[in-house]
Amino acid sequence: MIDFEFHSPTSLDEAFGLLDQYGDDARVMSGGTALVIMMKQRLAQPGHVIGLRRIPGLASVASDGNGAVRVGALCTQRQMETDPLIRQSLPLVADTYRKVATPRIRNMSTVGGGLVHGDPNQDPPPSLIALGASVVLSSKGGERIVPVEDLFIDYFETDVQPGEILTSVLIPQAPAGSGAVYLKFLPRTADDYATVSVAAIVDADESNNCRDVRIVLGASGVTPIRAKAAEDLLRQRPLTEENIRASAAAVIGEVDPLDDFRGSADYKRQMAEVFTRRAVTQSLAAGR
C-alpha cells in the first residue's frame, strides 16, 4: 500500500476544510472496507485519507416525522440489519442488508461508504431505489438531496461532487399493504456478490389489480437498473401469471450485464428474467 497521511476530523466543517486543502489528493473514508482494498490494489492512491468516525451525529437512525427514516452515513450494515426501527418500518431494507457478505464485513462496512463506492453489484442499492430513497450530500455550501436512482452515473462512478460528503440517507416506507422482496441469485457462495439481484415492491388492490410496482435489478449493468418497461406492463393491470411473465420477459431488453466469472452476459439476462418473475410473484404473495 502507498504511503498516505490519515486525518481524523471531529466536525463536518473540519472535514470540508481538509477536502478543500488537499483536493484530488484526498479521499473520504467511513468504514474503509472498500477503500482499503482499492488502495492495496493501487486502484486508488490518495496522499490523504479523511476518516469520518470521530464526527458526531453520523451514525443515528431516526424517523423524520414524514413517514421516512433518516439513516446516518456511518451506520454500519449490521446496524441496518438489526435496528428495531429499521426492522419495523423498513423490513425490506433490514432483509437486504442481512444478505450482504458476512457479519464481519457488515460490522465494519457503512451505509454511506457503500453507496459512494458506486459498485453496481452491491445488494442495498436495488432495494433503496425501489423504496424511492435519497441521499443527502453535504458541503460547505449547504446540502443537496439526490435520489439513489440518480446517484449512480457509471461503473464505480457516482454523482458525489468534489467537496461533498454523503451524510445521511432518507428512506420512505413502502405503501401500506404492499409486498416487497429482495432476491439474489448465488451460484457460488452465500457471502458472494449476486450473479443477478432483484428488488420488487408490488401494491395490489382487493381485485388483484396492480396499483403500483417498482422493479430494480443489481449486478445487471454498470449501474443498478430500474426496469421501467417491465413496471409499465404491470401497473394498472391485473396481476395474472401471464402478465407477470410478460413483465419479467421485458427485463431482458433493459439489463446490460457484463461477462465475468459469475456468468456470461446472456446467462445473466436469462436469470434476470427468472428472478424478476420470482420477485414480483413473492412480493404479491407477501402483500396479501
Side-chain angles (χ1 to χ4, degrees):
M1 187 183 295
I2 64 169
D3 292 333
F4 63 92
E5 185 176 353
F6 184 78
H7 304 268
S8 189
T10 57
S11 70
L12 281 173
D13 286 341
E14 186 181 353
F16 297 144
L18 290 167
L19 286 173
D20 272 352
Q21 181 177 353
Y22 297 113
D24 292 341
D25 198 29
R27 291 288 297 269
V28 172
M29 185 175 78
S30 48
T33 53
L35 180 59
V36 170
I37 292 174
M38 293 182 70
M39 291 172 68
K40 286 182 175 179
Q41 296 175 340
R42 295 188 178 272
L43 298 173
Q45 301 184 49
H48 299 267
V49 175
I50 303 169
L52 303 180
R53 290 287 189 179
R54 295 180 62 197
I55 299 177
L58 295 183
S60 61
V61 175
S63 172
D64 75 344
N66 296 310
V69 176
R70 181 183 289 267
V71 174
L74 291 189
C75 288
T76 65
Q77 295 184 336
R78 175 67 172 165
Q79 203 173 338
M80 299 296 285
E81 174 189 359
T82 60
D83 182 271
L85 180 59
I86 299 291
R87 290 170 63 90
Q88 178 181 357
S89 301
L90 302 168
L92 174 63
V93 172
D95 181 62
T96 301
Y97 276 97
R98 180 180 61 81
K99 295 174 179 174
V100 175
T102 65
R104 179 180 295 179
I105 295 296
R106 296 198 295 273
N107 275 312
M108 288 297 299
S109 186
T110 64
V111 173
L115 290 173
V116 170
H117 186 45
D119 189 338
N121 302 309
Q122 296 179 84
D123 295 298
S127 293
L128 295 175
I129 292 171
L131 286 166
S134 300
V135 297
V136 178
L137 301 174
S138 301
S139 68
K140 66 178 183 180
E143 291 184 344
R144 188 165 65 99
I145 298 177
V146 176
V148 176
E149 185 172 352
D150 299 329
L151 179 66
F152 296 86
I153 303 299
D154 206 336
Y155 198 54
F156 287 95
E157 181 183 349
T158 67
D159 189 35
V160 180
Q161 300 299 308
E164 289 185 329
I165 295 174
L166 195 157
T167 51
S168 61
V169 184
L170 302 171
I171 313 175
Q173 296 181 49
S178 63
V181 69
Y182 173 73
L183 301 180
K184 60 189 295 189
F185 176 42
L186 287 164
R188 292 169 61 86
T189 63
D191 59 350
D192 193 11
Y193 276 144
T195 297
V196 167
S197 64
V198 185
I201 301 176
V202 177
D203 183 16
D205 64 18
E206 298 79 4
S207 300
N208 209 42
N209 294 311
C210 180
R211 284 189 289 238
D212 198 11
V213 60
R214 294 285 190 99
I215 302 169
V216 187
L217 293 102
S220 300
V222 296
T223 67
I225 295 172
R226 173 93 179 270
K228 294 183 179 180
E231 293 175 356
D232 289 342
L233 289 173
L234 288 179
R235 192 175 288 111
Q236 304 302 317
R237 297 187 182 188
L239 287 161
T240 61
E241 181 178 353
E242 180 182 2
N243 286 344
I244 292 173
R245 285 185 174 274
S247 171
V251 164
I252 292 178
E254 299 191 82
V255 299
D256 188 18
L258 304 174
D259 290 306
D260 60 25
F261 63 90
R262 297 184 181 90
S264 68
D266 286 342
Y267 178 65
K268 291 180 181 181
R269 289 189 186 94
Q270 294 175 39
M271 291 302 100
E273 177 183 3
V274 170
F275 276 81
T276 296
R277 185 173 70 248
R278 292 180 184 178
V280 171
T281 300
Q282 291 183 29
S283 295
L284 177 60
R288 287 175 174 164

